[in-house]
Amino acid sequence: MSRSAELRRLDAALQHMGAGGPALVDVTGEAGIGKSRLLAEFSTLARRRGAAVLRGRATEFERHSPFQPFADAFADLDQRVLRVFPSLRELPPVLRGRAEPSGEPWNRDRFGLYRATADALRCIRGARLVVVLDDLHWADPASLELVDHLVRHPVKAPFLLVVSRRDRQAPAALTAALARGADTGAVLRISLGPLDERECVEELARDLPQQRAAEMYAASEGNPLYFLALLTAHRTARPPGPPVRDGGPPAGLEALLLDELAPLDPIERGTVEAAAVLGDHATADLIAALTGSPVPDVVEALRGVMRRDLIRTDQAGRRLALRHPLIRALVHDTTDPWRRQELHRRAAAALAEAGAPLAERAHHIERSLTGWDPEAAAILTRAAEQTAVTAPAASAHWLDVVLAILPNTPGHLDERRELMLMRAGALGTTGALWESRDLFHRVIDMPPGNEDGEDALRTSAVVQCAVMERQLGRYAEADALLRRELDRRPGPSPSQRIGLVIEWCCHAQFVARFPDVREELAEALRGARDLGDGLGEMGALTLAAMSEAYEGDTAEARRLARTAAGLTDALTDGDLAGLCEPLVRLAWTEVMLDQYTDAERHSDRGAEIARRTDRFYVLSQLLLCKAYAHFLTCRVTTALELADEAAAIARALGSGELLGFTLAIRSLFLMQARPPGDPDVLAAAEEAAAAAEGTGESWWSTLARSLLAFAAMGAGDPHRTRDILLETGGSRDLPRIQPSLLPEFLELLVAAALAVGETEEAEHAAERALKEAEQLDLPTRRAAALRALGRIEAHRGDPVAAARAFAGAARESALSGATLREAQSLLLGAAFTRAAGDGAGAAAMLRRARRQAAEGGATLLVALADQQRPEVLGDTDGSAEPSGPAAGLAQLTSREREIAELVAEGLTNQAVASRLFLSPRTVESHIARVYRKTGVQSRAALATLVARHTVTAPGTPPPS
């Protein structure tokens, strides 16, 4: 049937693949509307145009088989295809339907698997590859995460992924991911609506009277499958009833389709039933194994059912499948239940003999269970263990199946406890935080078991449950849980108690109550040393170091971090296997102490351990920590790449607090990677603040909301910037802000306050920033305070003092290797250095800043440097066309120029509004547009531009 318009859109995507076109095509429509037919026609067209096409299908009965649709597609890879696309040899084995070799990186990190897949596809050269995945609404969670990764990180190669799905039956996560991709242009959506009446009637029912055909078309609502059912019913004089709109077949269609089975002989019927059990992986040999019939007899039966168009083969003639998923579902569901179970049992045995992956066998074992079966339970448990990292949702499902059949007797209590603990961990990894938390509580409340390690299991459950509570923002609940375990009698062993105390103190630190638990943590550190507990010592040391750095006790934080680093560096990677969380704290401490090289080194070691031990919650933080070290040392491109991976993990984990924190930091990187005024920056920061909303007043959620102020300033809205800072910080002294970050936030408050005419507030903030920086004794904090002072001096009209302050900030930044901040400080100071009479010095500052920014991928700073270049280098004699801020002045409307001149005279917004008979909000809007056009970001800078034709680089460096 004709879908010419849709086929043309697919053809256009094919022609532009790898050259700026969409990376994925999303074909949607209800059941039977023609999605599979369209994909088949497109596959034929793509092959005619020289592309290689691989086709896979998600199936209703294999929804817990990890990566099943991808494995279905890549199973078609043969030596001929691999010669054309050699990089596909690097695809993870699980995506090619093979058992995963133990120890392979993707076997222990699903996010690494996604990257490995994208890397293999990204290396495609020359020829074009199209992968078509049908019925994605039935795909397993692991496949959906991989699709989401490919949407977020489009493969820039001659590769196109085409998927089809039923919109109303698709998981919400898939729908959201594809919608985001459509917004960014990475996804092309093609919605299949009803077929045209003429097409339906002329192609299928030319022999019917026109009136009768029209009635049939109206009843089918243009759905070709339903139209065919009505047509068949008409020709056999059996009315099937009206169509339905819930994505299933119309009433009566089931009977019509099953009527097709009536003429089959027993071996043909058994062949069809076996094919329904096996799905798209059916072969003559496997069908013979399931039915017990000789292969030649099965082949003859297949010929018969293929003549009836019940079973079809692919173009290569290797794979068999029932002609439509609805038919497979109907045959499978109407097969005698006992026979169906036996067929699944035989399928599992045949696949085991063929060496199929455990996950593929587990699907059939699950469907063959009738009660407790220790051997089957062992296979399902091994499958769960094997997929716990790459497909935790499948792992949790199979553990649930085992728990459902496990006898509820005292003899199985210890096994039940262990399985529940495994499942709770898998659920937490998938992002099902509430379900994970509830299951941990069930483990904790279970009666004592018979094993010696029961107490250790209980304590492990308490600690992991507390982490879940923390990710959910339930700090009071976590605190109560840990306190109850610490007070239990007989209580945990001394070493277990140390672990509990450390976790309890960690929760206190997250809600800014570290001073309340400082002594308890010190006692735990002494206890760990007395016991020779290296893990406990590292845990307590790093938590104390990070907490002191947070609170601003730099000297104590340095001492503790130096001790922890010495212990860490003396250990091998094997020794560090249980220390990935302490490494998170050590690395972040070193970032806060301006020790970027050490932070990156420890982040790398921690990330490797986190991948190996499945601790994705800390992996996200380690990647973000490394990203921040790259950012501050002006490696913006790699910082953004690392932050994207950290954000993908945070999304998958489902913690709003972690996601908000990660996205907020990422928004800072994005600001530097984009040109001035890019709207995506503010949108990213607002998404971060929204993700953290409702998670309480923890360290991360407060920081996520505070960082929105930087994006607001970059968008030219100082009023909003000031409002965010005062609201989140609590007052003009910002008492709720992380103490060690105060100079950076106070610097931003200075810029915002000056821009809105709050001079006294700005001067107070600058004075406080200098005092805080002196106490913190860190170069980056002194640099922030000096930039704040420079803004005040510029506002006072003293270019010499302003230049001196900005130059000092650049020197302090250079001391710690914070190259990005050095470049920012140089740009802020260049214009004032020239105004102070040092043209050569100003030129050197500008050139150094631009070079640093360009080498590090800081697009924002490069653009600001280029805006300043003509005036800082002295090209102001009128011989050249104005550019940068001077050009921006020329672009102002008469009203904007009028307001800019009044601001330059020192008038407040209210005074400007009164003089021009405008509302203050209207004036604010005009000023925001003036800022965007000229590239300046404060009233002082605008006044200088108007009066002297000199500018300062807008923007305030982000915090660390």
Side-chain angles (χ1 to χ4, degrees):
M1 293 182 192
S2 175
R3 288 285 189 184
S4 55
E6 292 86 352
L7 196 58
R8 283 195 299 273
R9 296 183 70 192
L10 281 164
D11 190 26
L14 178 69
Q15 299 304 317
H16 291 91
M17 59 192 291
L24 184 148
V25 180
D26 174 28
V27 179
T28 67
E30 64 183 42
I33 202 68
K35 301 184 296 297
S36 297
R37 174 74 175 270
L38 175 64
L39 295 188
E41 291 184 13
F42 171 65
S43 298
T44 301
L45 174 66
R47 289 190 181 99
R48 284 205 305 264
R49 297 198 184 283
V53 181
L54 304 176
R55 294 195 65 180
R57 180 192 296 273
T59 52
E60 183 177 8
F61 301 107
E62 287 84 20
R63 280 179 287 183
H64 298 293
S65 297
F67 305 106
Q68 189 267 333
F70 284 95
D72 194 22
F74 290 120
D76 284 340
L77 288 174
D78 53 26
Q79 291 305 313
R80 179 185 61 81
V81 177
L82 288 172
R83 280 195 297 273
V84 179
F85 304 104
S87 69
L88 297 186
R89 298 178 190 275
E90 303 304 318
L91 284 171
V94 68
L95 292 188
R96 298 179 61 184
R98 300 178 181 179
E100 297 184 44
S102 177
E104 291 290 352
W106 45 76
N107 193 41
R108 61 177 187 261
D109 177 3
R110 72 186 194 270
F111 303 102
L113 184 149
Y114 305 153
R115 292 194 306 278
T117 302
D119 289 344
L121 296 172
R122 197 172 287 115
C123 291
I124 291 173
R125 297 290 185 271
R128 295 180 292 176
L129 176 66
V130 177
V131 173
V132 177
L133 303 181
D134 208 353
D135 290 331
L136 206 64
H137 52 277
W138 279 325
D140 58 282
S143 294
L144 299 183
E145 280 192 358
L146 177 52
V147 170
D148 179 65
H149 182 87
L150 294 175
V151 170
R152 291 180 180 278
H153 307 279
V155 172
K156 298 186 185 305
F159 167 75
L160 183 66
L161 178 61
V162 182
V163 305
S164 75
R165 63 189 174 95
R166 300 177 192 171
D167 204 10
R168 286 177 291 175
Q169 291 177 260
L174 174 62
T175 301
L178 294 174
R180 284 193 296 268
D183 289 342
T184 63
V187 173
L188 168 65
R189 184 172 188 183
I190 299 177
S191 298
L192 299 190
L195 272 180
D196 179 80
E197 180 177 353
R198 180 182 58 79
E199 293 174 342
C200 261
V201 173
E202 288 189 3
E203 294 194 32
L204 299 174
R206 292 182 180 178
D207 57 323
L208 289 185
Q210 184 175 359
Q211 180 61 31
R212 180 61 180 138
E215 292 172 355
M216 206 170 292
Y217 173 81
S220 73
E221 298 181 331
N223 185 301
L225 180 66
Y226 299 170
F227 187 85
L228 281 170
L230 292 164
L231 184 61
T232 302
H234 170 77
R235 288 171 174 162
T236 56
R238 287 193 303 275
V244 294
R245 299 184 60 84
D246 62 356
L253 179 58
E254 178 178 340
L256 286 172
L257 295 176
L258 292 180
D259 272 354
E260 296 186 62
L261 303 179
L264 303 182
D265 63 33
I267 190 170
E268 288 176 332
R269 177 66 183 249
T271 297
V272 172
E273 291 174 344
V277 164
L278 290 166
D280 290 343
H281 299 293
T283 64
D285 289 341
L286 281 176
I287 290 173
L290 267 63
T291 60
S293 302
V295 173
D297 292 350
V298 168
V299 170
E300 188 60 32
L302 283 169
R303 290 193 179 103
V305 295
M306 288 173 70
R307 282 193 295 271
R308 296 176 180 275
D309 196 27
L310 282 167
I311 288 180
R312 297 172 177 173
T313 63
D314 61 6
Q315 290 195 347
R318 295 194 302 266
R319 300 159 69 194
L320 304 165
L322 288 153
R323 73 168 184 258
H324 194 281
L326 286 177
I327 295 177
R328 182 193 176 192
L330 290 169
V331 172
H332 185 277
D333 291 347
T334 56
T335 299
D336 177 86
W338 293 274
R339 174 168 170 75
R340 185 171 62 234
Q341 288 170 350
E342 178 62 17
L343 289 173
H344 278 292
R345 187 191 65 76
R346 292 181 182 181
L351 290 169
E353 188 174 344
L358 267 178
E360 193 172 335
R361 294 159 54 193
H363 156 69
H364 292 288
I365 288 173
E366 174 192 349
R367 290 185 169 271
S368 67
L369 289 172
T370 58
W372 172 239
D373 183 338
E375 184 179 349
I379 294 173
L380 289 172
T381 302
R382 289 209 313 273
E385 291 170 343
Q386 188 180 86
T387 57
V389 179
T390 54
S395 177
H397 170 76
W398 285 324
L399 289 168
D400 192 39
V401 171
V402 177
L403 285 166
I405 62 172
L406 184 68
N408 192 16
T409 62
H412 290 93
L413 181 62
D414 295 326
E415 184 178 1
R416 180 175 295 279
R417 179 183 286 106
E418 291 182 13
L419 291 171
M420 289 172 66
L421 196 60
M422 286 174 57
R423 184 166 187 267
L427 288 169
T429 302
T430 67
L433 302 183
W434 282 103
E435 193 175 353
S436 172
R437 172 254 185 206
D438 291 345
L439 193 54
F440 277 128
H441 274 291
R442 286 179 56 194
V443 174
I444 294 165
D445 294 338
M446 289 178 74
N450 302 318
E451 290 190 352
D452 293 338
E454 187 271 332
D455 264 0
L457 282 176
R458 174 193 168 88
T459 301
S460 175
V462 168
V463 172
Q464 292 183 70
C465 186
V467 172
M468 291 300 111
E469 299 281 22
R470 178 178 6 134
Q471 292 187 54
L472 290 166
R474 293 163 53 88
Y475 291 99
E477 290 78 2
D479 182 80
L481 178 67
L482 292 163
R483 280 179 177 275
R484 186 181 70 180
E485 185 68 9
L486 286 166
D487 293 341
R488 183 170 59 88
R489 294 293 180 270
S493 68
S495 61
Q496 292 169 353
R497 184 176 183 81
I498 288 170
L500 286 164
V501 170
I502 292 171
E503 182 61 29
W504 178 59
C505 293
C506 182
H507 282 71
Q509 196 271 336
F510 263 84
V511 292
R513 289 196 298 103
F514 171 69
D516 297 344
V517 300
R518 183 181 271 119
E519 288 305 316
E520 285 85 351
L521 185 58
E523 184 180 346
L525 176 58
R526 289 190 292 271
R529 285 171 171 164
D530 290 342
L531 290 171
D533 179 2
L535 292 179
E537 182 180 4
M538 277 294 295
L541 262 177
T542 54
L543 179 58
M546 184 177 70
S547 300
E548 297 294 2
Y550 173 96
E551 294 293 338
D553 190 341
T554 301
E556 181 66 4
R558 278 201 190 103
R559 183 186 69 79
L560 292 165
R562 189 164 45 246
T563 303
L567 292 174
T568 299
D569 295 342
L571 298 174
T572 66
D573 284 352
D575 296 330
L576 289 171
L579 292 173
C580 94
E581 287 178 272
L583 281 170
V584 170
R585 297 192 284 259
L586 175 59
W588 274 113
T589 301
E590 288 166 336
V591 165
M592 288 191 277
L593 294 175
D594 295 349
Q595 298 169 3
Y596 308 125
T597 301
D598 291 336
E600 187 172 353
R601 177 165 52 86
H602 291 132
S603 293
D604 281 337
R605 293 192 79 183
E608 174 58 29
I609 295 167
R611 294 187 196 279
R612 191 166 62 245
T613 57
D614 316 343
R615 301 185 184 183
F616 296 109
Y617 180 69
V618 294
L619 176 59
S620 178
Q621 299 174 54
L622 286 159
L623 292 171
L624 192 63
C625 181
K626 180 179 178 180
Y628 204 70
H630 278 223
F631 174 69
L632 290 172
T633 52
C634 205
R635 290 172 283 172
V636 176
T637 303
T638 54
L640 197 54
E641 290 171 356
L642 288 163
D644 283 340
E645 184 182 356
I649 296 172
R651 286 186 194 279
L653 290 172
S655 169
E657 188 174 66
L658 175 60
L659 179 60
F661 175 71
T662 304
L663 292 178
I665 299 293
R666 179 187 176 275
S667 72
L668 297 177
F669 306 167
L670 189 64
M671 179 184 292
Q672 287 296 336
R674 298 291 180 86
D678 190 305
D680 287 349
V681 176
L682 184 59
E686 287 176 333
E687 182 188 1
E693 197 67 37
T695 57
E697 295 299 324
S698 71
W699 170 20
W700 284 356
S701 60
T702 299
L703 190 59
R705 292 193 296 271
S706 301
L707 291 179
L708 177 58
F710 286 92
M713 196 68 175
D717 193 345
H719 284 278
R720 186 181 183 194
T721 301
R722 178 172 174 269
D723 290 345
I724 291 169
L725 288 174
L726 296 180
E727 179 181 352
T728 309
S731 72
R732 69 178 189 172
D733 285 339
L734 309 184
R736 296 178 191 161
I737 298 292
Q738 181 176 336
S740 61
L741 298 182
L742 268 177
E744 277 85 353
F745 281 98
L746 287 166
E747 179 199 353
L748 180 60
L749 182 58
V750 168
L754 288 174
V756 301
E758 296 288 346
T759 303
E760 187 275 332
E761 180 179 85
E763 291 175 343
H764 173 81
E767 182 180 348
R768 180 129 191 271
L770 288 167
K771 291 179 180 177
E772 293 293 334
E774 183 179 355
Q775 292 179 0
L776 291 168
D777 191 26
L778 288 167
T780 53
R781 307 310 188 269
R782 288 194 292 270
L786 286 169
R787 286 191 297 271
L789 176 63
R791 294 175 185 276
I792 294 296
E793 299 294 0
H795 181 76
R796 291 169 176 165
D798 188 342
V800 174
R804 185 166 52 246
F806 289 129
R811 285 193 298 273
E812 291 287 354
S813 299
L815 281 176
S816 64
T819 310
L820 183 79
R821 293 190 173 185
E822 181 186 358
Q824 290 172 319
S825 302
L826 290 169
L827 283 176
L828 283 165
F832 293 106
T833 300
R834 177 172 176 77
D838 185 359
M845 293 170 73
L846 182 69
R847 292 190 179 106
R848 177 176 173 81
R850 193 192 187 285
R851 176 177 54 77
Q852 290 174 328
E855 290 174 352
T859 301
L860 174 67
L861 295 184
V862 170
L864 297 177
D866 290 343
Q867 287 177 10
Q868 292 194 67
R869 183 181 180 87
E871 289 150 290
V872 171
L873 298 185
D875 186 13
T876 57
D877 61 1
S879 60
E881 287 294 323
S883 61
L889 279 178
Q891 296 171 11
L892 298 183
T893 66
S894 58
R895 175 64 85 182
E896 289 166 354
R897 183 63 189 238
E898 184 180 21
I899 290 175
E901 289 172 353
L902 292 175
V903 169
E905 293 175 15
L907 272 67
T908 65
N909 287 0
Q910 183 62 56
V912 173
S914 299
R915 180 174 296 190
L916 299 179
F917 303 101
L918 300 172
S919 72
R921 280 294 176 186
T922 300
V923 172
E924 290 172 13
S925 298
H926 280 299
I927 292 175
R929 286 194 289 273
V930 169
Y931 286 164
R932 283 196 295 272
K933 289 181 179 180
T934 60
V936 301
Q937 203 172 19
S938 71
R939 301 174 83 86
L942 179 60
T944 303
L945 174 63
V946 172
R948 303 184 183 180
H949 285 259
T950 59
V951 298
T952 63
T956 303
S960 62

